[in-house]
Amino acid sequence: MRSDLNASGLTEVERQILTSLQQIRFGSLEIVIHDSRVVQIERSEKLRFDAKGKALNESLS
């Protein structure tokens, strides 16, 4: 087993990317790569509201 893998079989970078994707509802995830290596993960998140002013991340129905 590679030394950069954790118990779930993912590298730290892969785990961080998956965690960021799971936590974002509206927005974007940018992965910056230099020399074929991930060097930065940027997350921009939007807060959206329905017509009544209620946050959409609280109201799914």
Side-chain angles (χ1 to χ4, degrees), residues 9-28:
L10 299 174
T11 65
E12 178 64 17
V13 170
E14 292 168 333
R15 191 184 65 70
Q16 288 291 337
I17 291 169
L18 288 173
T19 299
S20 293
L21 284 171
Q22 291 168 341
Q23 292 175 347
I24 197 166
R25 178 131 171 100
F26 297 103
S28 62

Side-chain angles (χ1 to χ4, degrees), residues 36-52:
S36 301
R37 296 187 62 211
V38 174
V39 295
Q40 184 171 314
I41 300 169
E42 294 182 31
R43 187 170 93 182
S44 294
E45 192 161 3
K46 311 276 187 215
L47 296 177
R48 303 250 173 129
F49 300 90
D50 65 15
K52 296 177 183 175

